């Protein structure tokens, strides 16, 4: 029997995630949601305006959520990041930018790029600080810095038992 190297397995998983994102990108459609996340024809009596710029939406979501993830519903890396948050019982807010309506997701992604110089999702913020994407989140978990950041922001989490 030949020894199985981890590199081909990792490469295969990354290829699968990439193909999954590309193939399903065109399959997902949803009703448009305004940037504020509220129906335009039924605005609340109080709260944020329903006609926001993409930059205002991004800034608002980052400032309101202790852990904020901008994602796409079909992205494997976004699902993997959500699993990390769920495994550690970290409360997070998510903005699935591909479900925001015609052109809005593109505008939001451009606003995120202007803010972070990151073009990809997930695009994650903790206590207003940009931490990066999935690989960055994994690195923070592995070196323990994620928990230091969460402690400093008084964000609760649970370390799973083996």
């Amino acid at each position: 029997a030949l020894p199985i190297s981890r590199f081909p397995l990792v490469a295969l998983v990354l290829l699968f995630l990439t193909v999954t994102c590309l193939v399903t990108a065109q399959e997902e459609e949803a009703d448009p949601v305004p940037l504020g996340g509220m129906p335009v024809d039924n605005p609340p009596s109080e709260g944020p305006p329903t006609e926001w710029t993409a930059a205002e939406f991004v800034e608002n979501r980052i400032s309101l959520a202790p852990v904020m993830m901008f994602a796409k519903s079909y992205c494997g890396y976004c699902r993997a990041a959500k699993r990390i948050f769920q495994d550690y019982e970290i409360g997070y807010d998510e903005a699935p930018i591909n479900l925001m309506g015609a052109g809005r997701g593109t505008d939001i992604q451009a606003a995120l790029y202007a803010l972070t110089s990151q073009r990809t999702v997930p695009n994650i913020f903790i206590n207003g600080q940009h931490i990066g994407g999935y690989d960055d989140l994994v690195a923070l978990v592995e070196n323990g810095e994620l928990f230091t950041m969460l402690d400093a922001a008084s964000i609760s989490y649970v370390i799973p038992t083996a």
Side-chain angles (χ1 to χ4, degrees):
L2 295 173
I4 297 175
S5 171
R6 290 182 125 189
F7 177 75
L9 181 61
V10 170
L12 244 169
V13 169
L14 291 175
L15 177 64
F16 172 77
L17 291 172
T18 302
V19 169
T20 301
C21 288
L22 294 174
V23 169
T24 58
Q26 299 301 318
E27 296 174 2
E28 299 231 353
E29 292 294 326
D31 293 329
V33 175
L35 291 176
M38 300 165 281
V40 174
D41 59 347
N42 189 20
S45 57
E46 294 182 342
T50 57
E51 293 295 327
W52 290 359
T53 67
E56 289 170 332
F57 172 76
V58 166
E59 291 170 12
N60 182 274
R61 293 297 290 265
I62 293 168
S63 69
L64 291 177
V67 178
M68 181 66 215
M69 179 172 68
F70 295 90
K72 292 185 178 176
S73 61
Y74 54 81
C75 174
Y77 292 106
C78 298
R79 285 192 296 268
K82 285 193 263 187
R83 276 193 301 278
I84 289 174
F85 292 142
Q86 292 163 355
D87 288 348
Y88 289 95
E89 298 181 27
I90 299 168
Y92 67 96
D93 191 11
E94 176 186 6
I97 63 176
N98 64 304
L99 302 178
M100 298 283 174
R104 292 179 189 243
T106 303
D107 293 343
I108 293 167
Q109 200 151 7
L112 284 164
Y113 177 71
L115 181 64
T116 67
S117 298
Q118 177 181 322
R119 293 190 189 278
T120 58
V121 293
N123 205 326
I124 304 168
F125 295 80
I126 296 179
N127 202 31
Q129 179 183 348
H130 181 245
I131 65 160
Y134 172 74
D135 291 336
D136 302 300
L137 179 62
V138 169
L140 289 174
V141 169
E142 289 175 351
N143 67 24
E145 289 181 40
L146 175 67
F147 309 109
T148 303
M149 294 176 74
L150 295 172
D151 288 338
S154 299
I155 299 169
S156 66
Y157 59 91
V158 173
I159 304 291
T161 56

